[in-house]
Amino acid sequence: MMSTLATTNRRVLLAARPVGLPTAANWTFSDAPLADLAEGELRVRVSAISLDPAMRGWMNEGKSYIAPVGIGEVMRAGGVGVVEASRHPGYAVGDAVSGSTGVQTHWTVAPERDRGHGLGKIDLRLGTPTQWLNVLGMPGMTAYFGLMDVGLPNLTKPAGETLVVSGAAGAVGQTVGQLAKLKGLRVVGIAGGAAKCDWVVKELGFDACIDYKAGPSAVRDGLKEHCPQGVDIYFDNVGGDILDTVLARINRRARIVICGAISQYNNTTPVQGPKNYLSLLVNRARMEGMVVFDYADRYHLAVAEMAGYLKDGRMKSREDVATGGVDAFPATLNKLFSGENFGKLVLSLEG
Ligand SMILES: NC(=O)c1ccc[n+]([C@@H]2O[C@H](COP(=O)([O-])OP(=O)(O)OC[C@H]3O[C@@H](n4cnc5c(N)ncnc54)[C@H](OP(=O)(O)O)[C@@H]3O)[C@@H](O)[C@H]2O)c1
């Protein structure tokens, strides 16, 4: 019988560490033969990969919360796919899975051998494969635990609290804002452009959204207008000037969740720290970093809650699905830094 299984794995390798925005020179493409599986291994045909701002950090040399991707290694990425061959008793051909697939068409993994594989089955009754890379996946978990465990909304008096979230129309931001609304808070987003702002207000139910690209004082003026009672929680996805501007409007005992700082990731000069940090002192406020992987043992609880919201329509999940296979990865990744993605950016490897 003729086999329909692929015999080669197309991969994107890190060729050189970038300075500033990644370019074509940072990547190489390679086709590697697929070897027979060893005992304990399984092979996943990757159907979609997650494009994450964190990838830019993984390309850098140096100490972080996770080791850098080595030169010549397959670029690290979260992904979803289907098991197409298995010599592992826990996985059967046809199982839908997610994990740290890498930017490649086929992922061969031995869960008992490989560290940091993140392999797990996904239940497609709870969400589509791309929703498993969004609300039910890493960005959704970041939103959930960043808000609930670090932002610490006052759930006994939620209507008295105002949350501001930047990157509001992106993967993490869309879920932070929707979850905060579901918990009863006033929610104000910050995003680039009228279309994104309209969407988070009209479709997601945020109370307001500030277009930070509308002018040099847009954020300051917008916060004044839309946060008349000040800011109790700021969920920061972007850092830089926007962080400083929000710090100027925080309330006593405010919580600033340092989730990310995408405005700084391609800097060729030192990262811009907050100039207004003394606002933390004056307001007895707290600024705390978070890394989603610390909450892995509780993901199942967040998934169960958010899958319920997806099912009953109280939460929306917008993915921006790019096509072109792994060869389109370099150009697609850079959309995160130009703001061209609208919703969670995913690269489909199908078709
Ligand atoms: N700590 C963790 O464990 C963790 C986990 C996941 C993600 N994160 C962080 O969360 C943040 C959001 O990630 P995501 O996956 O949800 O990405 P995303 O928001 O879906 O995409 C990135 C967005 O950032 C905005 N952006 C780009 N450059 C900007 C700039 N200079 N100033 C302001 N906004 C800019 C763009 O939106 P606009 O069009 O609105 O500008 C772009 O669409 C990132 O900082 C990421 O590193 C952290």
Side-chain angles (χ1 to χ4, degrees):
M1 201 173 92
M2 290 273 289
S3 167
T4 55
L5 298 184
T7 53
T8 55
N9 178 27
R10 185 148 180 86
R11 316 171 301 162
V12 178
L13 312 179
L14 182 65
R17 303 209 180 278
V19 178
L21 193 68
T23 67
N26 300 121
W27 309 107
T28 49
F29 299 91
S30 131
D31 291 306
L34 285 166
D36 290 341
L37 292 182
E39 189 64 36
E41 287 185 335
L42 60 126
R43 179 160 299 139
V44 176
R45 184 173 45 76
V46 182
S47 60
I49 63 162
S50 173
L51 287 287
D52 293 291
M55 288 171 154
R56 179 62 188 83
W58 302 338
M59 296 169 77
N60 291 339
E61 191 76 71
K63 193 170 172 285
S64 186
Y65 61 91
I66 193 168
V69 176
I71 300 298
E73 286 179 4
V74 175
M75 181 58 193
R76 181 185 295 134
V80 289
V82 176
V83 175
E84 72 171 23
S86 178
R87 291 190 65 194
H88 188 285
Y91 291 87
V93 171
D95 284 347
V97 296
S98 67
S100 187
T101 60
V103 186
Q104 56 187 344
T105 56
H106 293 80
W107 181 39
T108 302
V109 57
E112 276 76 35
R113 179 194 66 203
D114 299 335
R115 294 184 54 189
H117 57 76
L119 176 71
K121 292 184 195 175
I122 55 174
D123 184 345
L124 298 181
R125 292 168 302 184
L126 302 185
T128 62
T130 55
Q131 286 174 337
W132 275 100
L133 294 177
N134 188 18
V135 173
L136 301 180
M138 190 277 285
M141 300 301 102
T142 306
Y144 188 94
F145 293 106
L147 175 63
M148 303 309 289
D149 277 48
V150 186
L152 296 174
N154 179 352
L155 298 177
T156 53
K157 268 173 123 185
E161 295 222 301
T162 298
L163 170 134
V164 172
V165 57
S166 51
V172 174
Q174 61 178 273
T175 302
V176 169
Q178 291 184 87
L179 196 56
K181 281 307 295 175
L182 281 163
K183 302 291 177 190
L185 282 77
R186 176 173 175 77
V187 171
V188 176
I190 301 176
K196 289 184 178 182
C197 283
D198 273 3
W199 178 68
V200 301
V201 172
K202 292 185 183 141
E203 294 292 324
L204 303 187
F206 288 28
D207 295 286
C209 184
I210 300 164
D211 173 5
Y212 75 91
K213 292 182 174 169
S217 63
V219 177
R220 195 189 61 207
D221 296 348
L223 291 171
K224 213 168 172 182
E225 180 183 350
H226 299 300
C227 306
Q229 310 298 324
V231 177
D232 300 289
I233 303 175
Y234 174 47
F235 196 108
D236 188 20
N237 286 317
V238 305
D241 291 338
I242 293 177
L243 170 58
D244 262 322
T245 309
V246 180
L247 280 175
R249 289 209 65 86
I250 59 172
N251 287 334
R252 199 176 267 210
R253 302 270 171 224
R255 287 82 68 198
I256 318 299
V257 184
I258 301 296
C259 174
I262 194 168
S263 71
Q264 306 297 307
Y265 292 172
N266 289 303
N267 279 8
T268 50
T269 51
V271 165
Q272 177 186 330
K275 296 185 193 78
N276 279 341
Y277 84 97
L278 286 181
S279 178
L280 300 173
L281 184 159
V282 174
N283 292 296
R284 293 80 157 167
R286 186 167 57 74
M287 187 150 111
E288 185 175 338
M290 65 90 57
V291 173
V292 63
F293 304 126
D294 295 348
Y295 302 89
D297 59 346
R298 287 164 57 210
Y299 285 174
H300 64 287
L301 300 172
V303 166
E305 183 174 335
M306 303 232 270
Y309 299 143
L310 279 179
K311 189 164 183 220
D312 66 21
R314 284 190 288 165
M315 185 171 280
K316 291 183 177 153
S317 176
R318 178 173 185 148
E319 295 90 40
D320 185 340
V321 182
T323 53
V326 294
D327 292 62
F329 169 76
T332 309
L333 176 66
N334 284 4
K335 288 182 170 190
L336 293 169
F337 305 109
S338 59
E340 282 171 79
N341 64 306
F342 195 157
K344 165 67 200 158
L345 187 59
V346 167
L347 178 61
S348 171
L349 305 191
E350 288 181 326

